């Protein structure tokens, strides 16, 4: 296998308070009740014509652009009270050797952690019309008021030319709300997933209400707001399809029940940084597995492109002790098995599929 290259990308996991989504899961066997989270996650359905995960439900995001890392952004922030030192002290957390993506930027004068956040905000606006910006601190009152019709027009303009995002912010005295984006994870597309691969930063944004969404109906054909439990349930039932990173992250979020706890956890966990994950796909007797860092079966870095790892058969009789993996017996039926402690403070994902099976079994008794 030859060398693999990935295109840099940025994704935003939008979690919005939704009290209507909260109800009780009852376990009749021991009369245990559990509230579902009081928030929903934004999932977007890719077009059937998409060259990457066609028809999949994904978080908003996409490839980065040179414009996201323009020095003009730092000038814009500096004009409104946020100089380079202030931005760097707030956002530079992860060690460069853990996140090589931060060293791979088109302009050495920019702050990578700022550029990737701008990219996530821009991509989310292009795909959904939801603009995560805040008013700049300026003297006096701006005469430029951003109306709904203006947003629709700017959404189209930025889609065709990413440089327009800076023009939008300058005209309406806005700052991309970098502070609302928490650094969360960094996923690589597996090497055996075809010619189109991405090295993607995942950020989390928690908001107090579900925003209005405007999709183009072409690249994105549907928007779904749902809590982590029901997102996984829809995947298992075949109503939607989620890629492994979405499955894993949603099961992580399922450990947190409230918007308030989400904000506290994301802010604290962000201070511990992240590291890049390259999932390794391997077959075993009952199907195939996505093996993740920390698992006893995960190869050392120099072996991650090895054919005997990617294509080899694994015996289910030798699954070792440390486990961080997603086991698939069909495209929609899976189990997450994780008994490792994440060095960067993440919670272990809940095994929601087993919980669903137990709940269904109890409801028939």
């Amino acid at each position: 296998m030859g060398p693999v290259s990935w295109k840099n990308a940025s994704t935003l996991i939008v979690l919005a308070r939704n009290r209507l989504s909260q109800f009780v899961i009852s376990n009749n066997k021991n009369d245990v009740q559990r509230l579902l989270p009081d928030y929903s996650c934004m999932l977007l359905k890719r077009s059937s014509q998409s060259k990457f995960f066609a028809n999949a439900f994904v978080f908003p995001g996409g490839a980065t652009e040179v414009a996201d890392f323009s020095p003009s952004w730092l000038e814009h922030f500096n004009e409104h009270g946020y100089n380079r030192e202030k931005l760097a002290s707030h956002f530079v957390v992860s060690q460069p050797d853990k996140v090589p993506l931060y060293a791979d930027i088109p302009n050495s004068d920019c702050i990578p952690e700022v550029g990737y956040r701008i990219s996530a905000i821009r991509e989310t606006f292009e795909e959904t019309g939801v603009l995560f910006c805040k008013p700049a601190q300026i003297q006096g009152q701006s005469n430029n008021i951003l109306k709904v019709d203006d947003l629709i027009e700017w959404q189209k303009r930025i889609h065709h030319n990413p440089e327009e995002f800076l023009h939008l912010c300058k005209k309406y005295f806005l700052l991309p709300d970098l502070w609302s984006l928490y650094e969360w994870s960094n996923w690589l597309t597996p090497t055996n997933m075809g010619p189109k691969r991405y090295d993607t930063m995942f950020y989390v944004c928690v908001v107090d209400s579900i925003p209005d969404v405007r999709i183009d109906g072409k690249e994105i054909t549907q928007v779904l707001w749902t809590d982590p439990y029901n997102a996984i349930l829809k995947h298992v039932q075949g109503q939607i399809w989620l890629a492994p990173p979405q499955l894993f992250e949603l099961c992580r979020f399922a450990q947190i029940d409230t918007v308030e706890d989400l904000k506290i956890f994301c802010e604290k966990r962000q201070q511990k940084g992240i590291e890049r994950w390259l999932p390794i796909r391997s077959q075993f007797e009952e199907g195939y597995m996505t093996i993740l860092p920390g698992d006893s079966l995960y190869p050392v870095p120099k072996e991650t492109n090895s054919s005997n790892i990617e294509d080899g058969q694994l015996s289910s009789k030798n699954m070792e002790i440390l486990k961080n993996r997603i086991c698939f017996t069909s495209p929609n039926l899976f189990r997450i098995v994780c008994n490792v402690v994440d060095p960067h403070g993440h919670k272990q994902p809940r095994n929601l599929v087993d919980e669903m099976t137990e709940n269904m079994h109890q409801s028939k008794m």
Side-chain angles (χ1 to χ4, degrees), residues 304-346:
T304 53
N305 287 340
S306 173
S307 60
N308 67 327
I309 292 295
E310 293 289 348
D311 305 319
Q313 294 279 344
L314 294 176
S315 171
S316 60
K317 298 178 181 179
N318 184 27
M319 289 296 154
E320 303 298 336
I321 298 174
L322 295 178
K323 298 178 181 180
N324 192 22
R325 61 188 69 163
I326 312 174
C327 303
F328 294 89
T329 53
S330 74
N332 289 85
L333 191 58
F334 72 98
R335 291 182 73 244
I336 293 181
V337 185
C338 179
N339 62 5
V340 302
V341 177
D342 186 270
H344 301 284
H346 274 295

Side-chain angles (χ1 to χ4, degrees), residues 41-50 52-61 127-128 213 215-226 238-243 246:
C41 178
M42 180 197 289
L43 294 170
L44 306 178
K45 186 178 183 181
R46 290 190 181 277
S47 163
S48 60
Q49 305 302 313
S50 176
F52 187 74
F53 284 146
N55 291 315
F57 278 78
V58 299
F59 306 127
E127 292 182 337
T128 70
V213 176
I215 58 175
D216 62 8
K218 298 177 182 178
E219 294 183 10
I220 301 299
T221 60
Q222 184 181 343
V223 60
L224 173 67
W225 287 98
T226 184
Q239 298 178 36
I240 66 175
W241 186 81
L242 298 163
Q246 277 73 22

Side-chain angles (χ1 to χ4, degrees), residues 21-286:
S21 73
Q22 192 173 43
F23 65 93
V24 174
I25 302 174
S26 179
N27 185 326
N28 296 327
K29 184 176 181 179
N30 52 18
D31 200 29
V32 172
Q33 294 186 338
R34 182 185 180 106
L35 286 176
L36 289 179
D38 69 350
Y39 59 87
S40 295
C41 178
M42 180 197 289
L43 294 170
L44 306 178
K45 186 178 183 181
R46 290 190 181 277
S47 163
S48 60
Q49 305 302 313
S50 176
K51 296 180 180 179
F52 187 74
F53 284 146
N55 291 315
F57 278 78
V58 299
F59 306 127
T64 61
E65 300 287 349
V66 174
D68 301 326
F69 302 89
S70 169
S72 298
W73 278 112
L74 291 184
E75 294 173 6
H76 181 61
F77 279 100
N78 187 59
E79 289 172 2
H80 298 288
Y82 299 97
N83 59 29
R84 183 186 187 92
E85 290 71 24
K86 186 179 292 188
L87 292 173
S89 66
H90 189 91
F91 296 111
V92 179
V93 176
S94 294
Q95 300 176 18
D97 61 321
K98 297 290 186 180
V99 190
L101 190 67
Y102 283 154
D104 185 14
I105 52 177
N107 193 312
S108 59
D109 291 333
C110 76
I111 301 173
E113 290 83 351
V114 170
Y116 281 101
R117 281 176 169 82
I118 289 173
S119 178
I121 293 171
R122 175 187 54 76
E123 279 287 336
T124 299
F125 180 58
E126 287 184 29
E127 292 182 337
T128 70
V130 180
L131 182 61
F132 290 103
C133 286
K134 67 177 188 177
Q137 297 178 357
I138 58 174
Q139 298 293 328
Q141 183 75 24
S142 170
N143 293 323
N144 294 322
I145 300 175
L146 195 55
K147 301 177 182 178
V148 174
D149 289 345
D150 297 322
L151 279 171
I152 295 173
E153 179 60 28
W154 280 101
Q155 185 180 2
K156 294 176 182 177
R157 289 172 61 174
I158 294 170
H159 177 77
H160 292 295
N161 181 6
E163 293 180 0
E164 291 289 339
F165 187 33
L166 178 58
H167 298 158
L168 165 66
C169 291
K170 283 182 172 293
K171 180 173 181 178
Y172 293 96
F173 296 95
L174 299 172
L175 294 176
D177 193 0
L178 313 177
W179 298 267
S180 69
L181 270 63
Y182 301 106
E183 190 179 82
W184 185 257
S185 58
N186 178 201
W187 290 78
L188 284 167
T189 309
T191 57
N192 57 359
M193 289 293 290
K196 204 165 187 178
R197 307 183 184 99
Y198 291 94
D199 186 354
T200 307
M201 284 298 308
F202 283 66
Y203 295 99
V204 174
C205 181
V206 184
V207 295
D208 286 329
S209 62
I210 293 178
D212 293 330
V213 176
R214 295 180 301 277
I215 58 175
D216 62 8
K218 298 177 182 178
E219 294 183 10
I220 301 299
T221 60
Q222 184 181 343
V223 60
L224 173 67
W225 287 98
T226 184
D227 64 85
Y229 184 94
N230 279 295
I232 299 300
L233 180 61
K234 290 176 185 295
H235 171 88
V236 171
Q237 293 176 338
Q239 298 178 36
I240 66 175
W241 186 81
L242 298 163
Q246 277 73 22
L247 294 175
F248 197 88
E249 299 297 6
L250 286 167
C251 288
R252 273 175 168 169
F253 288 120
Q255 295 281 21
I256 306 173
D257 291 333
T258 69
V259 166
E260 285 74 17
D261 288 344
L262 262 177
K263 292 178 180 178
I264 294 171
F265 177 79
C266 289
E267 185 171 1
K268 288 184 177 179
R269 197 230 56 80
Q270 178 177 247
Q271 302 308 313
K272 299 181 181 180
I274 59 174
E275 64 179 331
R276 187 168 69 177
W277 278 14
L278 171 62
I280 303 297
R281 285 169 52 107
S282 291
Q283 294 180 337
F284 70 113
E285 284 116 338
E286 299 175 2

